[in-house]
Amino acid sequence: MDSTTPAASHATWTPPVYDMTVAPKCPDGSVALIQYEDATFRYPELPTELLGISVDATTLPPLPKRLTQPAPILDYTWYPSATIRDPASFCFVASVRECPVKLLDASDGRLRASYRIVDHRERQIAPHSVAFNTGANRLYCGFEDAIEVFDIHRPGEGTRLHTTPSKKSRDGLKGIVSTLAFAPDMSSDLYAAGSFSPSAPSSSNIAIFSESTGEVPVMFVGAEGQRVGAGYGVRASVSQLMFNPARPYLLYASFRRVEPIYCWDLRGDVTRPVEIFTTLSPTAPIGGKVRKTSTNQRLRFDIDYGGKWLAVGGEDGGISVFDLLAAQADTVVGENVAHTDSTPRNMPIMQYDGHHDAVGSVAFHPLRPLLLSVSGSRHFDRSNQSAGHSSEESEDEEEDEIIACDEDAPPSDHAKPTRITISRQRLQPTSQDSSVRLWGFGGGTGVGV
């Protein structure tokens, strides 16, 4: 999320105040860089009055409605200090399939620089995850069994860090590096990497690296609990990793088709999570619905800059908000939860219906008590598929031609095969709700929406 920064009236920054006692309001307007299914970037502009700042509109450059890419977008991230007021920093990195990594100008979409990742077959590799380091001078890109590191001031090729000695080796971090996250601490050069490959009995799929030590992991994170013995992590693909902005020693992780979000404290025993955040409870439904965990879609969570609130969307369109500072002694145990140890389980302090489809991502505003949410997922409806077909084939139809011979026919007829043409329509995915909403948690202070 990008925003303009008001002139500082004092030297001490305080995090925004969120009122979680009432449901938020949803205004018309938002500001963000949004990835769409049609391989485009778009960013609706948030009204400046919503942020409580006065800006001369004539001084801001007009933003294009969309930035079209030649192939599907795998991942993207803003430059850490990007702002529309500073043209030099107003840029972002995009990973587009079968293309070099692009550094794009956010004002017009022009290419500023490109960073090439080439495999042993001289093919272009598009990473599945991209992240800037804390100093914003290096770009880290994760792909299969490796992380490529680029100096952003030197376009071209980078330095490859192998996360595993070889494909046959059981050591290291194996599989596609699906997510990268840097600890928000200038005194630390640690970053976390997770892979799509589920953790094996002998290794975890979350590793902690150091920029100074290179490709040798500092430690591996996560055990599933006493129920599975000395396990090495949640048996699922890692979807997202994020450090707490105010407490950088806390690492949070979400997994594919796993509803809870796990938290580890890197200062102590990293083989067991210190907290688990879940909505799977009979006493916490959303509009009479129970949280689903069947989607392979990434449902990205976010933590506010004060390190107090964690928000995440669900497959059913609901949005849950957790209080990270509240300690909950009671342990929630259900049939859908695989843990039986004493790890504290926190329930959301607020849940509300945000959209009518899966909430793919949420993001807190860095300066104001605002939460951005986007929704949309692929749905295939076979009921609309026509039983018959016309003589003219459309773009979304394919013809299957079957040539059959009748074995009981006379020998003279064997040379005349019967041609049967079957026309079938390709199923096109649809979305029940592709929308962007901005939620205000103003309460008694901050900006009311």
Side-chain angles (χ1 to χ4, degrees), residues 98 116-125 143-144 157 160 167:
E98 297 180 353
R116 298 175 64 248
I117 305 177
V118 181
D119 66 2
H120 63 285
R121 297 182 180 179
E122 298 297 324
R123 298 178 304 181
Q124 295 282 354
I125 298 177
F143 54 102
E144 188 173 6
E157 297 183 356
R160 184 160 304 178
K167 290 186 177 295

Side-chain angles (χ1 to χ4, degrees), residues 59-250:
T59 63
L60 301 180
L63 299 178
K65 292 184 178 179
R66 64 177 64 188
L67 303 175
T68 304
Q69 301 302 311
I73 301 165
L74 300 183
D75 196 16
Y76 67 99
T77 184
W78 279 105
Y79 182 72
S81 61
T83 171
I84 196 172
R85 287 177 175 241
D86 182 11
S89 67
F90 195 48
C91 58
F92 64 93
V93 165
S95 172
V96 180
R97 183 177 297 172
E98 297 180 353
C99 295
V101 181
K102 303 177 180 181
L103 179 65
L104 300 176
D105 192 303
S107 61
D108 54 13
R110 62 185 172 87
L111 181 66
R112 290 190 180 183
S114 61
Y115 307 91
R116 298 175 64 248
I117 305 177
V118 181
D119 66 2
H120 63 285
R121 297 182 180 179
E122 298 297 324
R123 298 178 304 181
Q124 295 282 354
I125 298 177
H128 283 73
S129 56
V130 292
F132 286 96
N133 66 343
T134 308
N137 62 338
R138 293 190 183 93
L139 175 66
Y140 284 67
C141 304
F143 54 102
E144 188 173 6
D145 294 336
I147 299 173
E148 199 87 359
V149 185
F150 297 96
D151 184 340
I152 64 170
H153 303 294
R154 296 180 180 179
E157 297 183 356
T159 302
R160 184 160 304 178
L161 306 177
H162 295 279
T163 59
T164 182
S166 66
K167 290 186 177 295
K168 295 183 179 180
S169 174
R170 295 185 179 182
D171 299 327
L173 183 67
K174 299 188 66 64
I176 296 175
V177 179
S178 56
T179 178
L180 294 166
F182 278 82
D185 184 2
M186 294 301 296
S187 63
S188 170
D189 62 353
L190 297 180
Y191 65 95
S195 76
F196 276 138
S197 298
S199 59
S202 59
S203 65
S204 172
N205 57 355
I206 299 177
I208 305 296
F209 295 89
S210 172
E211 290 191 82
S212 59
T213 59
E215 60 189 15
V216 180
V218 177
M219 66 182 77
F220 287 91
V221 175
E224 198 169 43
Q226 295 177 350
R227 183 174 180 178
V228 292
Y232 282 90
V234 180
R235 302 297 190 267
S237 304
V238 183
S239 294
Q240 183 185 355
L241 294 171
M242 186 176 185
F243 286 90
N244 190 303
R247 292 173 289 169
Y249 49 84
L250 295 179

Side-chain angles (χ1 to χ4, degrees), residues 276 278 328 330-333 337 339-341 343-347:
I276 298 174
T278 179
Q328 185 175 359
D330 297 335
T331 300
V332 179
V333 179
V337 181
H339 296 264
T340 59
D341 53 21
T343 303
R345 303 173 193 283
N346 295 331
M347 300 297 297

